[in-house]
């Protein structure tokens, strides 16, 4: 565990230096220490910042630990670009070690179940209402749409309301992957016109599973490859959600989304330990 904490701190410190983030000379904790505390909380304490703070302070990893309220303010002050730069660093490594096959899919992160929707204070629009068909469960919250390599390493991800159409979210992906790559997806990502645009502009083939009445049906061999390849992303989602507590505690929508991003980052770190 000590080795992992040191690795997390060193990478966070390198990122803050590379981004040339200027900190006030009076701060007790640097941004890299704040980021390390947050990620260690995700990796080992199910996202409980208080437990992460206490552990790092008591074992002498961070000598000048901030109070709970001050730590929460500091972590919110770290810009979104810093966390995304950290993620993109690992994404580039994943793409270099991958061949041509990628997978895209989504998994739900409920804020509350259907029965408590009227009392939900974090989100209050019907766009966040959706269901998990396989479990016959309605929920209110977000979906994480993620692009991973064939071995399950995250390359790109987006947070979207639970009820947002998958095809609409797909169009927001940058798809910054090598040419001649294949992106496997399920039936909800079918969009013929967008597939043609991506093929012409990026030379990337999107291969979603087709419905029975599809006008662009794939061969039996391609369908078999799709079915086998797509199973890997389910393992990735299971590994990410294994870091989750029974309920993600948050007071605001920003705080909830920040914790989700940190969980994805924590999983990405764990893939390289």
């Amino acid at each position: 565990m000590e080795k992992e904490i040191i690795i997390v701190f060193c990478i966070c410190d390198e990122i803050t230096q590379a981004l040339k983030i200027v900190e006030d000379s009076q701060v007790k904790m640097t941004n890299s220490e704040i980021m390390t505390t947050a990620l260690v909380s995700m990796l080992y304490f199910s996202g409980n910042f208080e437990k992460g703070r206490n552990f790092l302070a008591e074992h002498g990893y961070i000598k000048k630990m901030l109070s709970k309220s001050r730590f929460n303010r500091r972590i919110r002050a770290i810009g979104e670009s810093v966390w995304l730069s950290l993620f993109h660093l690992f994404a580039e490594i994943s793409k270099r070690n991958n061949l041509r096959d990628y997978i895209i899919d989504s998994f739900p992160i409920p804020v509350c179940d259907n029965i408590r929707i009227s009392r939900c204070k974090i989100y209050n629009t019907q766009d966040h209402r959706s269901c998990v068909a396989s479990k016959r469960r309605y929920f209110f919250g977000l979906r994480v749409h993620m692009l991973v390599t064939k071995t399950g390493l995250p390359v790109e991800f987006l947070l979207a309301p639970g009820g947002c159409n998958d095809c609409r979210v797909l169009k927001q992906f940058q798809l910054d992957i090598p040419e001649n790559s294949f992106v496997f997806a399920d039936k909800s990502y079918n969009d013929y016109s967008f597939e043609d645009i991506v093929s012409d502009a990026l030379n990337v083939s999107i291969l979603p599973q087709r419905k029975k009445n599809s006008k662009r049906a794939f061969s039996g061999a391609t369908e078999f490859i799709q079915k086998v390849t797509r199973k890997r992303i389910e393992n990735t989602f299971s590994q990410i959600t294994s870091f989750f507590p029974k309920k993600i505690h948050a007071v605001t929508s920003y705080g909830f989304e920040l914790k989700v991003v940190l969980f994805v980052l924590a999983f990405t770190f764990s893939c390289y330990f």
Side-chain angles (χ1 to χ4, degrees):
M1 185 176 183
E2 181 177 0
K3 178 183 176 181
E4 286 78 4
I5 294 174
I6 294 172
I7 292 173
V8 171
F9 173 78
C10 291
I11 294 176
C12 290
D13 192 52
E14 290 293 333
I15 283 290
T16 54
Q17 290 185 33
L19 296 176
K20 298 181 180 180
I21 299 175
V22 180
E23 301 183 49
D24 193 293
S25 59
Q26 296 179 331
V27 297
K28 294 182 179 180
M29 284 181 68
T30 62
N31 282 333
S32 54
E33 290 175 327
I34 295 290
M35 295 169 69
T36 301
T37 305
L39 290 170
V40 168
S41 300
M42 300 295 149
L43 282 166
Y44 302 110
F45 301 104
S46 299
N48 190 315
F49 290 149
E50 188 64 13
K51 289 183 179 180
R53 284 179 54 257
N54 292 335
F55 174 83
L56 293 175
E58 291 174 2
H59 288 77
Y61 291 106
I62 298 178
K63 296 182 179 180
K64 296 182 179 180
M65 181 62 69
L66 296 176
S67 64
K68 179 180 179 180
S69 60
R70 185 59 184 164
F71 175 81
N72 287 334
R73 288 196 293 271
R74 283 289 303 279
I75 195 173
R76 291 172 66 92
I78 295 175
E80 179 183 347
S81 60
V82 178
W83 298 114
L84 292 180
S85 297
L86 188 57
F87 176 80
H88 291 322
L89 172 65
F90 288 100
E92 288 299 322
I93 298 173
S94 300
K95 286 187 286 186
R96 290 177 185 177
N97 296 331
N98 189 53
L99 296 177
R100 297 188 303 167
D101 295 343
Y102 295 84
I103 317 164
I104 191 170
D105 205 346
S106 66
F107 66 98
I109 302 184
V111 173
C112 64
D113 285 320
N114 195 51
I115 195 171
R116 292 188 61 249
I117 286 177
S118 60
R119 290 176 286 167
C120 183
K121 296 181 180 179
I122 296 180
Y123 299 109
N124 54 15
T125 63
Q126 288 299 311
D127 289 342
H128 292 88
R129 183 175 183 173
S130 185
C131 70
V132 183
S134 60
K135 298 180 180 180
R136 298 181 180 180
R137 176 192 179 189
Y138 285 88
F139 73 94
F140 203 64
L142 302 176
R143 278 189 176 274
V144 178
H145 296 257
M146 184 172 291
L147 179 70
V148 304
T149 64
K150 189 176 181 179
T151 56
L153 299 177
V155 171
E156 192 175 344
F157 74 96
L158 290 173
L159 303 184
C164 189
N165 182 270
D166 288 346
C167 287
R168 190 168 67 182
V169 179
L170 175 61
K171 296 175 182 178
Q172 298 176 28
F173 274 81
Q174 295 181 357
L175 295 177
D176 184 16
I177 55 180
E179 293 185 356
N180 300 315
S181 295
F182 299 98
V183 179
F184 297 96
D186 63 17
K187 295 178 181 178
S188 61
Y189 289 93
N190 275 281
D191 189 325
Y192 298 154
S193 59
F194 185 69
E195 291 173 25
D196 293 337
I197 292 172
V198 172
S199 179
D200 294 337
L202 304 177
N203 199 16
V204 171
S205 301
I206 299 178
L207 304 175
Q209 291 181 311
R210 300 299 194 197
K211 298 179 181 179
K212 292 182 179 180
N213 59 348
S214 173
K215 297 179 180 179
R216 295 189 184 182
F218 295 120
S219 64
T222 302
E223 290 180 353
F224 176 78
I225 294 172
Q226 289 172 323
K227 185 177 180 180
V228 173
T229 305
R230 281 196 62 258
K231 289 183 178 180
R232 184 60 186 83
I233 198 169
E234 301 296 338
N235 294 337
T236 298
F237 293 161
S238 297
Q239 291 173 313
I240 294 174
T241 53
S242 67
F243 290 107
F244 288 9
K246 186 175 181 180
K247 177 184 177 182
I248 298 177
H249 176 72
V251 179
T252 64
S253 59
Y254 179 82
F256 184 82
E257 291 161 10
L258 175 61
K259 281 197 170 184
V260 173
V261 171
L262 289 175
F263 277 122
V264 174
L265 271 173
F267 166 73
T268 307
F269 268 95
S270 69
C271 292
Y272 293 91
F273 286 159

